[in-house]
Amino acid sequence: MRWLPFAILAYVVLGLQVGLSGYDLAYRGRPQLVLLAVIFVAMSAQRDAALLGAFILGLLEDLLTTGSPVGLSAFAYGLVAMCVISMQELVDREHFLTHVSLGLLGGLLVAVFKY
């Protein structure tokens, strides 16, 4: 995995996540842009780099947001990355429904562990 594009992706996604965090009070829903980035990294990178990238994204989200213990998002995103990596050979990476179903599965896993 190339780390400079990953750092740029992490910077943009975490900035948008923190910037849009006030909308959850008005509309009762928070966008999970970091989860989408974790799924993208897990589908694109090699196994070890994808797990490390998911853990880093979760740890940075824990450090930037308040209300959850440090490491909880990192653990949840690590589990999502492990599930996505284990399904890499079984699914078509280019198909739209693959990304939608993995997003749904990842959202459910994160909801179970974080909330």
Side-chain angles (χ1 to χ4, degrees):
M1 179 163 72
R2 293 188 242 157
W3 291 103
L4 181 63
F6 173 76
I8 294 170
L9 174 72
Y11 180 77
V12 169
V13 168
L14 288 165
L16 285 172
Q17 183 81 26
V18 171
L20 294 175
S21 65
Y23 285 104
D24 62 345
L25 300 175
Y27 300 112
R28 307 232 189 255
R30 177 178 292 171
Q32 293 289 327
L33 300 174
V34 181
L35 175 64
L36 297 177
V38 166
I39 292 171
F40 173 74
V41 167
M43 289 290 287
S44 302
Q46 295 175 352
R47 181 178 184 267
D48 295 334
L51 289 174
L52 181 62
F55 184 78
I56 288 171
L57 282 172
L59 191 63
L60 288 174
E61 183 182 2
D62 282 336
L63 293 175
L64 288 175
T65 59
T66 58
S68 65
V70 175
L72 190 59
S73 294
F75 177 70
Y77 291 150
L79 285 177
V80 170
M82 284 195 310
C83 290
V84 171
I85 288 169
S86 67
M87 292 183 203
Q88 268 185 351
E89 298 174 358
L90 302 174
V91 296
D92 183 18
R93 293 182 186 185
E94 310 267 332
H95 202 274
F96 174 74
L97 289 177
T98 301
H99 293 275
V100 170
S101 61
L102 288 176
L104 180 65
L105 175 69
L108 289 174
L109 280 174
V110 169
V112 165
F113 285 102
K114 279 182 68 174
Y115 302 110

